[in-house]
Amino acid sequence: MILDHPAATETRVPERGPVDADTFAREVAIAYEPVVLRGQVAHWEAVGAGAGGDRAMAGYLAGFGGGRPLDVMIGPPEIEGRFFYDDALTGFNFGKQQVPLQALLGELLRLSESEVERPHALYASSATAPEHLPGWERANPLGLPVDAPARLWIGNATQVATHYDTSINIACVVTGRRRFTLFPPDQLRNLYVGPLDRTMAGPPSSMVDPDAPDLERYPRFAQALAHARVAELGPGDAIYIPPIWWHHVRAFDRLNVLVNYWWEHRSAQAFLALVHAVSAVRDLPRAEKAAWRSWFDQLVFDDDAAHAADHLPEHARTVLGPPSRERTERIRQFLLGMLQRG
């Protein structure tokens, strides 16, 4: 295990052993706290294959070939596996290519067995099993109530910058060691978030490297580290991460495979609303902005916001009614009409 992590002496993510589907639904998936599930997928064929070494793991993965090429991030040795922005924040320090599974595995094995201390960074990210590794889910069933396809992440020693997801996430380590450093949502201000509309893989990322934080440039990050939760995972382990929890992921070995599942994208539209609010609300005069805060509180953030229109007949509550497909479509049409009118 890595012992020199800046947050290594901070809070560890709570742990428990493997859980069945019922326990997961009743005790894990409804909580808003991350949990490590030790040995949750230790029974997988893939985990057993990985125990035989890199060549055995690569051979096992190759058996699921025949799907679409994978989207692979490729970084030069000098980035030391940390995929991020370039120095000017006008682009990124890596490129992307579509690579067949066999070619990726061959290059990972070549680098794994070479004497190169700082190899190129390679990472196939978020490869959905049905399209890219057909048959994977049948051979390695999760056995939990997760309505989502398996996604594979295959690479060498790499880092995924601190980011959040808008969906529930469970990540399972197949081979290699990974460290997750998590930050609660309320640490947003201390994470120094990068551009909202120019991101590496969808959600915005923190500008700070938690393994080597520049506290002169980002002093509030010290407060974020004080609230960090750290999890060290090995083959067969899994971690449950609720939506909007920030997490940095580091893989340590020369061949690492992780599988994750994202489901219930409940917060996917919230980010869009936030960005539009920057344009529509943030730069108003202080008094007007305070006036709109009362609207947001009453209709969105108050505990009883769902009942704000109870004084109206049900048919007249329209966009303020309870969640439904009809309400979603009504809101969509209302917003489209308002935006078209400027």
Side-chain angles (χ1 to χ4, degrees):
M1 296 299 181
I2 303 300
L3 299 178
D4 60 350
H5 185 254
T9 59
E10 301 299 330
T11 306
R12 295 281 167 167
V13 176
E15 300 182 10
R16 58 188 304 170
V19 296
D20 58 24
D22 183 61
T23 303
F24 179 81
R26 286 187 296 103
E27 300 179 13
V28 178
I30 64 170
Y32 198 61
E33 296 285 333
V35 180
V36 170
L37 303 172
R38 291 287 179 204
Q40 184 67 39
V41 296
H43 62 283
W44 274 3
E45 277 185 8
V47 174
D54 289 352
R55 283 206 163 267
M57 184 76 258
Y60 182 79
L61 289 170
F64 298 98
R68 298 204 318 247
L70 292 79
D71 293 322
V72 178
M73 303 162 69
I74 304 172
E78 52 266 27
I79 74 170
E80 297 185 337
R82 184 177 184 242
F83 296 110
F84 202 60
Y85 294 98
D86 61 21
D87 291 340
L89 264 70
T90 57
F92 306 103
N93 65 1
F94 59 91
K96 289 185 178 181
Q97 293 183 21
Q98 288 207 328
V99 181
L101 177 63
Q102 294 278 10
L104 172 65
L105 295 172
E107 182 64 5
L108 285 169
L109 281 179
R110 185 187 72 80
L111 294 173
S112 172
E113 296 169 355
S114 75
E115 300 296 326
V116 178
E117 291 187 9
R118 292 202 309 170
H120 281 74
L122 300 175
Y123 203 17
S125 60
S126 191
T128 49
E131 288 78 22
H132 300 279
L133 285 88
W136 173 275
E137 293 171 315
R138 184 169 57 255
N140 299 281
L142 182 61
L144 296 177
V146 172
D147 183 20
R151 296 174 179 268
L152 281 87
W153 306 70
I154 306 167
N156 50 11
T158 54
Q159 297 181 54
V160 176
T162 305
H163 67 286
Y164 69 89
D165 299 313
T166 58
S167 58
I168 301 172
N169 183 14
I170 184 168
C172 310
V173 175
V174 175
T175 192
R177 297 164 299 133
R178 296 209 182 219
R179 181 174 62 217
F180 286 73
T181 305
L182 299 99
F183 301 92
D186 64 8
Q187 291 305 301
L188 170 66
R189 182 174 182 272
N190 299 325
L191 292 174
Y192 297 92
V193 176
L196 302 186
D197 58 341
R198 185 186 299 121
T199 66
M200 285 165 280
S205 299
S206 168
M207 296 299 296
V208 191
D209 179 357
D211 285 345
D214 183 347
L215 296 182
E216 290 188 3
R217 186 175 184 182
Y218 306 113
R220 292 195 309 272
F221 189 73
Q223 299 177 46
L225 279 177
H227 292 84
R229 304 187 190 184
V230 180
E232 306 272 0
L233 272 62
D237 294 334
I239 184 170
Y240 166 78
I241 305 175
I244 323 301
W245 271 77
W246 295 85
H247 48 287
H248 173 271
V249 187
R250 181 167 186 172
F252 291 100
D253 296 296
R254 294 208 165 194
L255 178 59
N256 302 273
V257 180
L258 178 139
V259 176
N260 92 302
Y261 306 80
W262 285 313
W263 76 104
E264 292 194 11
H265 300 261
R266 295 175 300 208
S267 295
Q269 297 297 314
F271 179 73
L272 299 179
L274 171 69
V275 174
H276 186 65
V278 171
S279 170
V281 180
R282 190 193 68 179
D283 300 317
L284 291 173
R286 179 178 297 181
E288 288 184 45
K289 189 158 57 174
W292 282 111
R293 185 191 299 273
S294 66
W295 280 78
F296 277 83
D297 286 343
Q298 182 178 356
L299 302 183
V300 179
F301 293 112
D302 285 352
D303 289 342
D304 62 349
H307 301 285
D310 282 2
H311 60 284
L312 298 173
E314 287 189 14
H315 72 272
R317 295 174 190 175
T318 60
V319 300
L320 295 178
S324 68
R325 290 183 180 179
E326 292 75 14
R327 188 193 72 169
T328 298
E329 180 59 21
R330 181 184 285 269
I331 291 175
R332 190 180 76 87
Q333 292 297 332
F334 176 75
L335 292 175
L336 286 173
M338 295 288 287
L339 290 171
Q340 288 170 357
R341 289 194 294 271

